[in-house]
Amino acid sequence: MKGPEARSSTSCAACRLQKRRCTSNCIFAPHFRSDDPLKFAQVHKVFGASNVSKILSEVPQEQRDDTANSLAYEAEARLRDPVYGCMRTIALLQRKRVELQHDLMLARARLAHYIASNSSQFGKGHVDMAPLSHLSPLCIEQTQSFGWNLSEFY
Amino acid sequence: MLNSRRCAACIYLRRKCPRDCLFAPYFPSSNPQRFANVHKIFGASNTSKMLTQLPVDLRAVAVDCMYFEATSRVRCPVYGCVGIITALVQQITDIQYEIAKTKAEIALYSAQQQQMSENKDSQG
């Protein structure tokens, strides 16, 4: 007959909130410690303990801390802004990125002008005017695939 | 009486879809994946609670946001849409670096140009 699971000496925040025994193999315990009850309370309110448990169990153990932290971030954002959640931050960052890309383009054009007008003195310089190739517009693609117009945030 | 046109949520939950179904306006039967993703990450109960706490005119956009976040999490279970935020922050940092670098080069060229022109004046 299978014996009872060993009880953890200190209940994690999840087990305390759910008023249950915290076992030594509790999936929540490493990521929702008892000294930070708010973290799990927020995640529980937004996603639910069952869903969080499923998400954690579906990722490799070494990535569960990052998973729990990103869930906590998302939950906090959604509780702070029940309509837009993380989307407001994404929209503002996208706007900032567009503005900076424009600034970079202007700066490069100005540098190219300097080089062109002084090529006899400085030799033929080169300004890479190509857009930064590693800056894939992943967010624009992803948000457009949802028919999402982020301009309402601007 | 079973509503012959159940919404995606009621189809998924295998229940009748009442006339005043909370989910029906936001989860049409034409897009079953929409509710499936939201249900997988947030759960029907939490979604229902969140919607009832919002004014009716804000519920559609709230569901759109939740769908985006849920789908991001389904695609990337570790980071979800927080991964997008992280990537954007990194991209912004990279562009700021490039701007600073370009401005430094402009300053260098400008200084050299000024030096050249001062030398020319002093020789003239």
Side-chain angles (χ1 to χ4, degrees):
Chain A
M1 190 167 87
K2 193 177 173 184
E5 289 170 338
R7 186 190 293 204
S8 169
S9 56
T10 317
S11 286
C12 71
C15 292
R16 279 197 181 173
L17 185 77
Q18 297 174 88
K19 293 177 183 166
R20 65 178 200 186
R21 194 190 303 183
C22 189
T23 59
S24 57
N25 59 354
C26 172
I27 195 168
F28 298 114
H31 319 292
F32 296 101
R33 286 188 279 275
S34 56
D35 58 356
D36 188 4
L38 184 63
K39 184 179 175 184
F40 184 78
Q42 291 178 328
V43 164
H44 181 259
K45 187 160 186 180
V46 174
F47 299 106
S50 173
N51 288 342
V52 173
S53 174
K54 276 184 216 162
I55 293 169
L56 286 175
S57 64
E58 284 169 6
V59 303
Q61 192 135 18
E62 61 272 16
Q63 290 185 304
R64 286 181 186 172
D65 220 32
D66 282 350
T67 306
N69 289 336
S70 70
L71 285 169
Y73 180 96
E74 232 182 285
E76 191 188 2
R78 183 144 288 282
L79 290 171
R80 201 180 333 115
D81 188 341
V83 179
Y84 296 105
C86 283
M87 294 305 297
R88 190 181 296 276
T89 301
I90 291 174
L92 292 172
L93 288 172
Q94 280 191 297
R95 178 175 72 168
K96 177 86 178 169
R97 186 179 69 169
V98 167
E99 287 171 357
L100 287 173
Q101 282 175 320
H102 179 70
D103 289 346
L104 178 59
M105 190 183 70
L106 290 177
R108 281 177 168 173
R110 197 167 155 220
L111 178 61
H113 172 74
Y114 263 103
I115 293 174
S117 63
N118 296 288
S119 59
S120 59
Q121 293 167 350
F122 301 132
K124 289 191 178 171
H126 171 71
V127 178
D128 182 5
M129 297 299 287
L132 294 170
S133 57
H134 65 284
L135 297 180
S136 62
L138 62 95
C139 288
I140 295 173
E141 286 165 8
Q142 274 185 274
T143 53
Q144 280 178 347
S145 72
F146 284 87
W148 190 264
N149 180 12
L150 291 173
S151 64
E152 65 188 84
F153 291 100
Y154 300 170
Chain B
M1 188 157 125
L2 185 68
N3 187 340
S4 58
R5 295 175 65 88
R6 288 187 292 167
C7 71
C10 293
I11 291 172
Y12 188 97
L13 298 170
R14 296 180 189 174
R15 66 181 196 191
K16 294 178 189 178
C17 189
R19 281 185 198 279
D20 60 348
C21 176
L22 178 68
F23 296 123
Y26 319 110
F27 297 102
S29 56
S30 55
N31 188 356
Q33 198 61 47
R34 186 173 163 91
F35 184 76
N37 286 359
V38 169
H39 180 263
K40 181 173 176 158
I41 301 304
F42 294 101
S45 175
N46 286 339
T47 305
S48 171
K49 276 184 217 165
M50 285 192 259
L51 285 179
T52 50
Q53 285 166 5
L54 292 173
V56 176
D57 57 327
L58 292 177
R59 290 179 186 174
V61 71
V63 170
D64 282 344
C65 290
M66 290 175 71
Y67 175 44
F68 182 89
E69 288 178 25
T71 303
S72 298
R73 183 65 62 178
V74 166
R75 287 179 185 169
C76 178
V78 179
Y79 298 108
C81 68
V82 178
I84 298 174
I85 291 173
T86 307
L88 280 167
V89 169
Q90 184 59 53
Q91 289 172 7
I92 284 168
T93 302
D94 291 346
I95 301 172
Q96 286 172 327
Y97 170 77
E98 288 295 325
I99 290 172
K101 200 172 88 168
T102 306
K103 284 184 173 175
E105 286 183 68
I106 290 171
L108 181 66
Y109 274 107
S110 175
Q112 286 177 340
Q113 192 176 49
Q114 188 156 358
Q115 186 66 47
M116 289 282 197
S117 120
E118 280 171 7
N119 288 347
K120 211 182 253 184
D121 288 345
S122 65
Q123 283 167 9

